[in-house]
Structures are given as C-alpha cells and as structure tokens.
Amino acid sequence: MREAAMATLEDPFGKVRPKLVAARTEFLAELARFQAAELERRPSPEDWSALEVAYHLYVVDGLTLQEMRRVQEEDNPELPALETEGPRVTRETARDLSLDAVLAGMAARREEILQFLAELPPAAWERPCHHHAWGALKFYQLVNVLAQHDRQHARQLVEIRERLRPSGSGTSPAASANSSLSSS
C-alpha cells in the first residue's frame, strides 16, 4: 500500500493527466450540445460564440505551453498575464473558423502539452515561476490552471446555449439539472 502512495507522489503527470482529460471532455461535451447553426452565433455583439470559445482554448493551450517551456528553461520566470493575453490573441486571430479545424487544432495542441508533460521528471513539477496576480507558483500549479480554464469555459458554453435558446426549447429539466451540477 505504501508503494502505491509513493508512486502517486513520484508521478505528477499520472496525477494531472486525468484532470486535464476530464476537463477537456467536459468542455467538448458542452460544445457537442450546440446545433450546427448555433456554433457561430453570439448571444450579444460583445460575447463570443461557442466556436470562438473553443478557438480560445486552442489559443490559450498554445500560450500556456510556451510558458511551461519557459518555466522549465528559465529560473523563476515572470509569467505574462495569460488571463488578458489569451482573450487578446483570440480576438486578433479568430478569422474564418471552422469547427473541424478548431477541434483538430485543440486535439493536436492538447496532445503536444500532454507529451511535453509526460517527459518531465518529477522534480521539474516543483520549478518556481511568478504570476503578477497569483504570486509565487510551482510548475504543477500552472498545469492545473489548464483544467480549471477548460471547466470555466464549459460553464460559459452552458450560459451561451441558454442565452441563444428561448426558455423551454431544446433543454430538458434533467439536462438543466446536470449542467448545474457540472458547474459546481
């Protein structure tokens, strides 16, 4: 029993991989609930469409992978404000999006992240970095932000879908209850 506990502590990738996969699966499940005609519709001019939100995850995965590499290569780097940089890059580059291209990009980028993480030794997960708002972080905390980010945007998709569909159409009470539970 003690060996199993030690293996978990010595395998940070084994611990975080299921979180990253589950969070991305949750996001993709919410995206799949959109009708094709709804994917590019925005609830209001200032909001993103579901397709733009998916593209945003692709963009942020790329930016985060760059920063993960920096944390492994530099001593205690200062991370850029990805919470503002991600939306900025998304807005500036979101042109002529297709669902197939966005999904393929998301899958490839996430696989690149998982491959990078799988190759890291356990000590690499303790490397420090600094975020302007969150302060001192360890590498593993930066990685965990990706899962939180996916879940945040899964909840955003629920909100977008609710705003696009008049009440009573397309969503059963059971589906509403399930989406409420998943955002907890």
Side-chain angles (χ1 to χ4, degrees):
M1 182 68 133
R2 183 180 157 117
E3 287 180 27
M6 290 294 287
T8 301
L9 295 174
E10 293 173 4
D11 184 16
F13 177 68
K15 187 175 179 180
V16 78
R17 185 182 187 284
K19 292 179 191 177
L20 291 173
V21 170
R24 182 53 56 95
T25 300
E26 179 183 337
F27 177 84
L28 292 173
E30 290 301 335
L31 186 63
R33 297 172 117 201
F34 281 80
Q35 312 254 335
E38 295 173 321
L39 284 170
E40 295 184 49
R41 286 184 46 214
R42 293 175 169 188
S44 72
E46 63 274 358
D47 290 319
W48 284 348
S49 69
L51 187 57
E52 289 168 321
V53 173
Y55 178 70
H56 171 72
L57 289 187
Y58 164 76
V59 166
V60 169
D61 273 7
L63 294 171
T64 304
L65 180 57
Q66 288 175 349
E67 295 312 310
M68 288 179 189
R69 287 183 171 134
R70 279 188 60 225
V71 173
Q72 294 303 318
E73 295 166 1
E74 298 176 20
D75 289 331
N76 199 22
E78 180 76 29
L79 301 177
L82 291 177
E83 66 277 10
T84 56
E85 188 66 5
R88 182 191 66 76
V89 172
T90 300
R91 281 190 302 276
E92 289 178 1
T93 61
R95 305 283 183 269
D96 301 321
L97 302 176
S98 77
L99 180 61
D100 290 341
V102 169
L103 290 175
M106 287 174 69
R109 180 99 9 107
R110 185 53 62 100
E111 183 58 34
E112 189 177 0
I113 288 171
L114 293 173
Q115 185 64 42
F116 174 75
L117 296 174
E119 295 172 0
L120 293 175
W125 292 75
E126 294 295 324
R127 289 189 58 84
C129 56
H130 191 270
H131 185 273
H132 72 97
W134 306 329
L137 296 175
K138 298 287 186 176
F139 180 81
Y140 71 86
Q141 292 171 308
L142 174 62
V143 174
N144 280 319
V145 169
L146 278 178
Q148 295 168 0
H149 188 248
D150 280 4
R151 284 194 172 94
Q152 170 192 349
H153 287 297
R155 289 188 300 271
Q156 182 183 11
L157 290 181
V158 171
E159 293 168 8
I160 290 170
R161 196 175 58 253
E162 288 173 353
R163 290 176 62 200
L164 289 178
R165 295 179 183 172
S167 54
S169 71
T171 305
S172 70
S176 295
N178 286 339
S179 66
S180 295
L181 290 175
S182 68
S183 64
S184 301

